[in-house]
Amino acid sequence: MSTNEKKYLEKMINNYQEKAPTKVDELKQLDKKVKKPVNIFTYILGTIGALILGFGMCVAMEVILPGLMWVGIVVGLVGILIVSVNYFLYKKMLESRKKKYASQIVELSKSLLNSEATEA
């Protein structure tokens, strides 16, 4: 058996062997728990805002609903407002979730750093 085949077999064993979760994995999960809901919300809100803005533009340029240019302008402004506020909502929501999980993340990070320092 060649060395490449042995490396491949070892790689396959490592890929399919069950691993016990480590503290680093737990830290990554906590970080995802902080960021994922915020990202999902802001992506959805941004998409909705962009669609509203696009619809307003279509109405304002009289591509659809001719004669209602003023309605298109108002709808477009609502879309612009939603898209503009989205970033600030993202920052506020992320900040509040960071505060909520900060103690757990900092404690876990410090324990990992301390365990690394004792091993060295």
Side-chain angles (χ1 to χ4, degrees):
M1 188 179 304
S2 70
T3 56
N4 286 339
E5 289 173 340
K6 286 181 182 180
K7 287 180 183 178
Y8 176 75
L9 291 173
E10 289 173 3
K11 184 179 175 183
M12 293 304 291
I13 289 170
N14 288 335
N15 284 340
Y16 288 97
Q17 197 172 32
E18 287 189 32
K19 299 174 189 173
T22 63
K23 286 188 176 185
V24 175
D25 294 332
E26 187 178 337
L27 188 61
K28 288 179 184 178
Q29 286 296 99
L30 278 173
D31 189 47
K32 283 182 186 177
K33 199 173 187 179
V34 169
K35 294 178 181 174
K36 192 173 184 177
V38 176
N39 287 338
I40 290 171
F41 174 78
T42 54
Y43 281 131
I44 290 171
L45 185 65
T47 302
I48 290 170
L51 289 172
I52 291 172
L53 172 59
F55 178 74
M57 286 175 48
C58 288
V59 174
M61 294 188 304
E62 298 184 353
V63 174
I64 54 175
L65 304 175
L68 294 175
M69 182 179 188
W70 64 273
V71 173
I73 292 171
V74 171
V75 171
L77 288 174
V78 169
I80 289 172
L81 179 69
I82 292 171
V83 170
S84 299
V85 169
N86 193 28
Y87 176 72
F88 299 106
L89 283 174
Y90 169 79
K91 293 300 255 184
K92 285 290 184 187
M93 289 174 65
L94 186 62
E95 183 181 315
S96 80
R97 290 191 64 85
K98 280 183 177 180
K99 284 181 184 177
K100 182 178 179 181
Y101 292 100
S103 61
Q104 292 174 329
I105 291 174
V106 169
E107 181 182 312
L108 190 57
S109 297
K110 283 181 180 179
S111 71
L112 284 169
L113 286 174
N114 288 338
S115 68
E116 184 179 291
T118 57
E119 289 176 5

